[in-house]
Amino acid sequence: MKMHFCIPVSQQRPDALGGRYVLYSVYLDGFLFCKVRYRQLHRWNEQLKRVFGNCLPPFPPKYYLAMTTSMADERRDQLEQYLQNEQVKGGGEEEEKKMKEKAEKKGEKKDEKQQPVAGSADSKPVDVSHLDLRIGCIITARKHPDADSLYVEEVDVGETAPRTVVSGLVNHVPLEQMQNRMVVLLCNLKPAKMRGVVSQAMVMCASSPEKVEILAPPDGSVPGDRITFDAFPGEPDKELNPKKKIWEQIQPDLYTNDVCVATYKGAPFEDTFSIATKKVSLDIFLPDGRSIKVEILTSDTAERVLEVVSYNVGLCQELLGYFGLFLIQFCKEGRLSVVKKLADFELPYVSLRSSEVENCKVGLRKWYLDPSLDARLMDCRTAVDLIYMQAIQDIEKEWAKPTEVQRQKLEALQKEDNQTKFLELAREVWHYGYVQLEPCTCDHPEPGCQALLSVGNDEISCCITLPDNQTLDVTFQMDRVKCWQVTFLGTLLDTDGPQQTLNQNLELRFQYCEDSHWRWFVIYTKQAFLLSSCLKKMISEKTVKQAAENPEMIEVPEQGKSKKYHIQQNQKDYSSFPPRKSKIKIAEVDCGFGNVKKDL
């Protein structure tokens, strides 16, 4: 299914030579996915060209002179269009297979070249890549009980527990300025006891004969982000060997340039979201509110994490496609809101950390909107447990709305723990298995009406509140929806200073046949992309169902030929994404510390 990429936000940042570069914030289905520079996307495009050839969409050209504002806006639009089109032109099973084969061959050649030769030096050179530099946040700071010049800080560096750090900053930074402060830490020094307190890291500072200042991380950094250098790639040492004096050899080449950006041999520090691959624990929340803790790698995709979760709970592997991982916001008074469905290639650990939504967690839920598909899961005990828990939760949250008689029967079956009969009856409940969105605004029957949407079972169900506070229930059948589109109406807040947040105003409009006439219905909701995903899911389920009922309607393509579909239906099962309605100005940041990037 096609996904939506956009670049609604870009920022200017200083580089190591006193110039400026543009940092692009790439959003996937309405949520921040990564921050990259033009040269990083250009390098990525070159790598793809070596695999896919000339089938990729055109990439925006380089500019060797300073860009005007209109040129910068044009490039951003071109990059946005490139990312949106690349997933169409560069996709396909044959291309994916080709890429894997080429990567494997390249890996084999690389292994052959890297065979150690007797007498050669196989250790990497001493440079800044040995250092484990990370963003941290000082939770608390106090004076050392036995040393007047030392502070003792508890610092969050994105680990399960904060680190204790001892710093000699009493004579340079007031105690109140140490509290809740973002800092850069060197995390792989050997722990050292300082006046009876073991220090587990070092706060990085810039110093001159006149003063000492704590280095300020870039805006948008979060605890645990690594500081890296494009010119000096490599994984840091687990712990620096004091006998080799690695830090002492690197330290003289660390300095700030004329625009106060920290550098190593002239290369600026870069705050990267390509988190070092390591084992972590991730809590996955089940529909009944319980959570299970799974051991994963930070680089594991949602598809891989789902496999780990299914193994832990005993879910049959062949049923994985009926479930998915979601970002879920747990609100006050027990309410919950489904923020988004995690795509198979997304990294749940990274998505959770980069989410701008408060109280967001990763949850396991069924991912199908046709209630009749429950029947395919009834032979797996774990699958039945999961959809049973979700059915109870949906009824408790009033997403599914049983009648009073149905509620009494369901409560009796729940007390008996008769899951099979419970689910059979639940499938008769209004809105069973639907996804309910947060309250939003629509233009039907008149602009500005408040609406509560539930999506499922081949329909969009709307409970609309009219201006006179009366309610109107309207149902849109999917077989009468011709197409839909999502438009980004976002605006950047605090454009005169560091970027704070993005006001994600979105609209989804769909074309619907009513009384033999086609007309557009508009819904304004921050969950427009989740709604779009649900519509695509219903189209996909309907297509599969039709193919199963009428197999002769599908023409299986011959090897090497393009696919042809002869599914007869009255609707076009596609969604489109027009350009955003208003341009967003580049947000200038006058002071920075390297480059924020997140790997695509």
Side-chain angles (χ1 to χ4, degrees):
M1 288 282 183
K2 188 176 180 182
M3 293 169 290
H4 181 235
F5 287 91
C6 67
I7 307 177
V9 180
S10 60
Q11 294 175 279
Q12 287 191 358
R13 290 185 177 272
D15 62 21
L17 302 178
R20 303 183 77 82
Y21 65 87
V22 179
L23 188 67
Y24 299 97
S25 295
V26 180
Y27 279 66
L28 169 64
D29 285 350
F31 290 86
L32 180 63
F33 180 60
C34 65
K35 294 184 180 181
V36 291
R37 296 177 63 168
Y38 170 86
R39 71 181 187 187
Q40 293 167 325
L41 287 174
H42 184 273
R43 187 163 59 240
W44 182 54
N45 178 67
E46 292 301 311
Q47 292 172 346
L48 291 177
K49 282 172 63 177
R50 288 195 289 270
V51 176
F52 298 119
N54 295 324
C55 68
L56 296 175
F59 191 80
K62 285 184 177 180
Y63 292 127
Y64 293 94
L65 299 176
M67 291 189 296
T68 63
T69 301
S70 61
M71 291 168 68
D73 286 341
E74 182 182 11
R75 169 178 279 184
R76 184 173 59 184
D77 289 340
Q78 291 172 340
L79 289 172
E80 184 176 281
Q81 195 66 33
Y82 167 81
L83 291 174
Q84 188 62 32
N85 291 336
E86 191 278 331
Q87 62 178 316
V88 178
K89 293 189 177 182
E93 295 179 2
E94 290 298 320
E95 288 83 355
E96 184 178 355
K97 182 179 179 182
K98 184 179 177 182
M99 180 155 54
K100 288 182 178 179
E101 290 175 352
K102 189 164 185 176
E104 289 171 359
K105 290 180 180 178
K106 186 176 179 181
E108 291 172 3
K109 292 180 179 179
K110 188 175 180 181
D111 290 340
E112 291 175 4
K113 290 180 181 179
Q114 292 183 349
Q115 290 295 327
V117 180
S120 65
D122 56 358
S123 59
K124 67 177 183 179
V126 176
D127 59 38
V128 73
S129 66
H130 285 266
L131 305 184
D132 183 7
L133 294 167
R134 283 189 248 165
I135 305 299
C137 178
I138 299 176
I139 303 171
T140 60
R142 67 182 190 280
K143 286 191 174 182
H144 195 295
D146 299 321
D148 295 337
S149 62
L150 300 179
Y151 286 133
V152 179
E153 305 109 28
E154 298 297 320
V155 187
D156 175 13
V157 290
E159 298 172 333
T160 55
R163 292 197 181 200
T164 300
V165 180
V166 180
S167 306
L169 295 171
V170 171
N171 298 326
H172 306 285
V173 183
L175 181 59
E176 59 271 15
Q177 293 182 16
M178 295 290 291
Q179 313 296 334
N180 297 313
R181 181 165 185 161
M182 298 294 287
V183 294
V184 179
L185 292 174
L186 178 56
C187 293
N188 60 343
L189 287 173
K190 185 176 181 179
K193 186 174 290 189
M194 302 179 70
R195 294 291 185 91
V197 178
V198 176
S199 181
Q200 299 171 306
M202 180 171 69
V203 176
M204 301 296 288
C205 299
S207 63
S208 68
E210 293 80 24
K211 61 180 178 179
V212 174
E213 293 184 3
I214 296 176
L215 288 180
D219 299 311
S221 301
V222 296
D225 287 0
R226 276 195 56 209
I227 299 293
T228 58
F229 300 79
D230 273 349
F232 302 94
E235 288 298 311
D237 297 352
K238 185 175 182 181
E239 183 176 285
L240 295 178
N241 189 338
K243 294 181 180 179
K244 294 184 178 180
K245 298 189 179 298
I246 294 175
W247 164 246
E248 288 77 6
Q249 296 179 61
I250 297 172
Q251 193 273 335
D253 291 312
L254 294 167
Y255 56 88
T256 56
N257 60 17
D258 294 338
V259 291
C260 298
V261 174
T263 67
Y264 173 73
K265 292 185 177 180
F269 282 29
E270 294 185 343
D271 169 25
T272 172
F273 212 79
S274 57
I275 301 173
T277 300
K278 60 181 180 180
K279 289 184 178 181
V280 293
S281 296
L282 182 66
D283 288 324
I284 305 295
F285 284 79
L286 302 178
D288 64 353
R290 294 183 297 116
S291 67
I292 60 171
K293 194 178 293 292
V294 294
E295 300 297 322
I296 64 167
L297 298 176
T298 54
S299 58
D300 281 342
T301 62
E303 184 177 30
R304 171 58 183 160
V305 174
L306 184 58
E307 291 175 355
V308 175
V309 172
S310 67
Y311 177 81
N312 283 15
V313 300
L315 179 64
C316 301
Q317 293 293 306
E318 59 270 19
L319 299 180
L320 279 182
Y322 295 96
F323 293 88
L325 295 178
F326 295 79
L327 286 184
I328 300 175
Q329 182 182 25
F330 288 78
C331 311
K332 295 180 180 179
E333 300 175 356
R335 290 193 314 108
L336 60 84
S337 172
V338 177
V339 177
K340 68 171 294 189
K341 161 74 168 62
L342 290 173
D344 286 347
F345 62 84
E346 288 188 78
L347 313 183
Y349 179 80
V350 174
S351 297
L352 187 61
R353 288 189 52 199
S354 64
S355 174
E356 299 170 350
V357 181
E358 293 183 355
N359 300 320
C360 204
K361 299 173 183 178
V362 178
L364 175 67
R365 294 179 62 85
K366 68 179 184 183
W367 181 226
Y368 56 88
L369 296 169
D370 181 356
S372 68
L373 293 178
D374 278 0
R376 300 186 182 183
L377 281 64
M378 300 308 291
D379 291 334
C380 176
R381 178 66 183 177
T382 301
V384 172
D385 287 342
L386 291 172
I387 61 176
Y388 174 69
M389 287 188 287
Q390 185 167 327
I392 293 175
Q393 183 188 65
D394 288 354
I395 293 172
E396 289 177 349
K397 305 299 181 186
E398 297 184 350
W399 287 17
K401 303 171 178 63
T403 63
E404 188 58 36
V405 174
Q406 288 175 330
R407 187 181 297 276
Q408 292 175 3
K409 291 181 179 180
L410 288 169
E411 289 175 352
L413 292 171
Q414 187 177 348
K415 290 179 180 178
E416 298 172 5
D417 198 26
N418 192 332
Q419 296 182 348
T420 302
K421 292 292 185 181
F422 183 96
L423 291 171
E424 287 178 0
L425 179 58
R427 283 194 285 274
E428 301 174 7
V429 171
W430 190 40
H431 289 177
Y432 168 76
Y434 286 42
V435 173
Q436 181 170 297
L437 275 61
E438 290 293 293
C440 58
T441 306
C442 69
D443 71 341
H444 180 78
E446 57 184 277
C449 291
Q450 298 298 307
L452 187 64
L453 270 63
S454 297
V455 189
N457 201 19
D458 278 334
E459 66 180 25
I460 307 169
S461 178
C462 305
C463 180
I464 301 172
T465 302
L466 302 176
D468 58 3
N469 289 327
Q470 293 187 11
T471 59
L472 174 68
D473 290 323
V474 180
T475 300
F476 300 96
Q477 299 295 331
M478 284 302 296
D479 59 3
R480 297 170 69 182
V481 174
K482 182 178 182 181
C483 61
W484 67 90
Q485 62 186 34
V486 174
T487 305
F488 185 81
L489 308 175
T491 55
L492 183 64
L493 304 182
D494 299 328
T495 53
D496 294 332
Q499 176 193 342
Q500 297 296 320
T501 186
L502 193 68
N503 185 11
Q504 294 184 0
N505 293 321
L506 301 167
E507 75 168 26
L508 184 145
R509 58 177 61 214
F510 60 91
Q511 196 172 17
Y512 189 77
C513 182
E514 185 178 47
D515 298 329
S516 301
H517 292 89
W518 292 100
R519 59 161 295 185
W520 288 93
F521 292 86
V522 183
I523 300 167
Y524 302 94
T525 171
K526 291 183 179 181
Q527 294 173 293
F529 286 108
L530 175 63
L531 175 56
S532 178
S533 296
C534 292
L535 300 185
K536 286 186 282 187
K537 189 66 175 176
M538 288 191 291
I539 293 291
S540 175
E541 291 174 357
K542 181 179 179 180
T543 302
V544 171
K545 194 172 185 179
Q546 287 182 336
E549 294 172 352
N550 302 284
E552 70 279 359
M553 298 174 67
I554 301 291
E555 179 181 326
V556 180
E558 296 179 16
Q559 188 68 25
K561 293 186 178 181
S562 60
K563 297 181 180 179
K564 296 180 181 179
Y565 298 90
H566 296 295
I567 299 173
Q568 299 174 350
Q569 52 185 9
N570 296 324
Q571 66 191 111
K572 297 180 182 177
D573 54 343
Y574 67 85
S575 58
S576 60
F577 305 96
R580 52 187 175 275
K581 288 190 174 179
S582 59
K583 302 291 183 184
I584 300 176
K585 295 182 178 179
I586 293 176
E588 294 193 359
V589 180
D590 294 327
C591 58
F593 171 51
N595 165 32
V596 180
K597 75 171 183 180
K598 299 172 189 172
D599 282 354
L600 275 172

